[in-house]
Amino acid sequence: MAAYRYCEAVTGLQARNFSYGIRLLPEPKRLAMSALYALARRVDDIGDGDLPDDRKAEALLRTRELLDEIRSGAVAEDDTDPIKVALADAARRFPIPLGGFDELIDGVEMDLKGAEYQTFEELKVYCRCVAGSIGRLSLGVYGCEDPERGARYADTLGLALQLTNILRDLREDALNGRTYLPTEDLVRFGCQEGFAQSRPPVGADFTGLIAFEAARAQAAFEEGLRLLPMLDRRSRACTAAMAGIYHRLLGRIAADPESVLRGRVSLPGWEKAYVALSGLAGGRS
């Protein structure tokens, strides 16, 4: 239980949006989801950290080895890594498709290689790795009346969330030398110069670009949210809460495109709590 409490602390401190949703789950599922998030957070932190790329690659390899230990049932209860202990226990209790973590690592390795995406189809592969994987891992904890169709919807909902993330973090990523929006879209809207400044590139149709990408994300939300009726009430509420928070972020970005160049767009805590409670009451917010 101490290992799970550690994972809950990581989730509460480092994933405010995520934690609003998982609070709505019954304890066994809430603890398992905290373990999932804690390892996902570790993988993300490796990718975003200050280590040289070769050290990051080594750390990602060790994480793959950790997953192999869990798959083989070789994790002792007194292991000194609480995330490993908690996730191993969760994997014994729920049919978690641990390969989703391997996909997440694949996505982080794309970042390390400085991958850029020429087309939207290429970007979708990345989004499947870094976001769809989390949705499919979560379904292992939630349960789903139609696992195959549910996994497709989870992928699409992950695409919606990741596209929203990409828009929200547009300038921050640019300052870190990363560009995620497809090159074909940047060219179409005259935004090839990038987003390192607090104002749109001169002569670019920046508003048109954001509207185009936001419409893509909106369409993905509409399809991905078809997952909700396939889940039990509490799992549905958890998913609706997390998706609802990001959907509201998307709405704010679409209403004021240049806000993403001025700073990180976010929701106040009271609004996140409202969205979470709406999910529990059966709404989609």
Side-chain angles (χ1 to χ4, degrees):
M1 187 58 73
Y4 279 123
R5 296 306 177 206
Y6 174 85
C7 294
E8 284 196 301
V10 170
T11 303
L13 287 172
Q14 299 189 41
R16 300 286 175 84
N17 290 345
F18 191 84
S19 64
Y20 276 94
I22 66 172
R23 290 174 191 171
L24 304 176
L25 294 170
E27 184 177 56
K29 291 185 178 182
R30 188 183 74 245
L31 295 176
M33 288 295 290
S34 293
L36 289 183
Y37 176 79
L39 185 60
R41 180 75 261 171
R42 176 181 290 179
V43 173
D44 284 344
D45 285 346
I46 291 169
D48 293 336
D50 297 326
L51 292 173
D53 285 353
D54 59 340
R55 297 279 303 280
K56 289 182 179 181
E58 291 171 4
L60 292 174
L61 178 59
R62 288 196 297 273
T63 306
R64 291 191 192 272
E65 292 169 349
L66 177 154
L67 291 167
D68 288 338
E69 285 186 62
I70 293 174
R71 280 187 275 255
S72 66
V75 179
E77 289 187 8
D78 61 352
D79 192 285
T80 57
D81 183 343
I83 295 176
K84 185 198 301 186
V85 172
L87 186 57
D89 184 75
R92 287 191 291 268
R93 296 173 185 270
F94 297 96
I96 298 170
L98 293 172
F101 282 114
D102 291 292
E103 289 184 78
L104 176 60
I105 294 170
D106 290 342
V108 173
E109 288 176 339
M110 291 180 200
D111 282 335
L112 293 187
K113 294 173 184 175
E116 294 186 358
Y117 307 98
Q118 299 299 312
T119 67
F120 183 56
E121 290 303 312
E122 291 178 4
L123 179 61
K124 284 168 68 175
V125 173
Y126 173 76
C127 292
R128 174 184 169 86
C129 288
V130 299
S133 60
I134 304 302
R136 284 176 273 113
L137 286 161
S138 299
L139 283 185
V141 175
Y142 296 157
C144 181
E145 63 184 31
D146 185 342
E148 184 175 344
R149 193 155 56 101
R152 291 199 301 271
Y153 288 144
D155 259 342
T156 305
L157 189 55
L159 173 63
L161 301 180
Q162 190 61 28
L163 287 175
T164 303
N165 265 337
I166 288 170
L167 293 177
R168 181 194 65 186
D169 298 340
L170 202 62
R171 186 168 184 226
E172 180 181 333
D173 288 335
L175 293 173
N176 289 324
R178 294 179 180 175
T179 301
Y180 291 98
L181 292 180
T183 301
E184 63 182 7
D185 297 348
L186 299 179
V187 171
R188 176 180 176 182
F189 292 95
C191 293
Q192 308 94 303
E193 291 182 19
F195 311 103
Q197 304 301 320
S198 59
R199 296 186 62 81
V202 176
D205 183 8
F206 180 76
T207 297
L209 173 68
I210 299 302
F212 181 73
E213 304 298 351
R216 271 181 169 161
Q218 175 63 28
F221 270 116
E222 290 173 3
E223 181 178 349
L225 286 170
R226 294 179 185 176
L227 174 65
L228 295 183
M230 304 168 69
L231 306 176
D232 65 66
R233 178 173 175 268
R234 299 283 284 277
S235 299
R236 182 166 60 247
C238 175
T239 304
M242 289 186 286
I245 289 169
Y246 278 89
H247 192 232
R248 287 193 169 217
L249 281 174
L250 180 66
R252 294 196 175 190
I253 291 168
D256 182 9
E258 291 190 26
S259 63
V260 299
L261 299 179
R262 297 194 296 268
R264 173 173 282 210
V265 180
S266 62
L267 302 183
W270 68 264
E271 191 169 354
K272 294 178 183 179
Y274 169 77
V275 173
L277 289 173
S278 295
L280 189 60
R284 282 165 51 158
S285 289

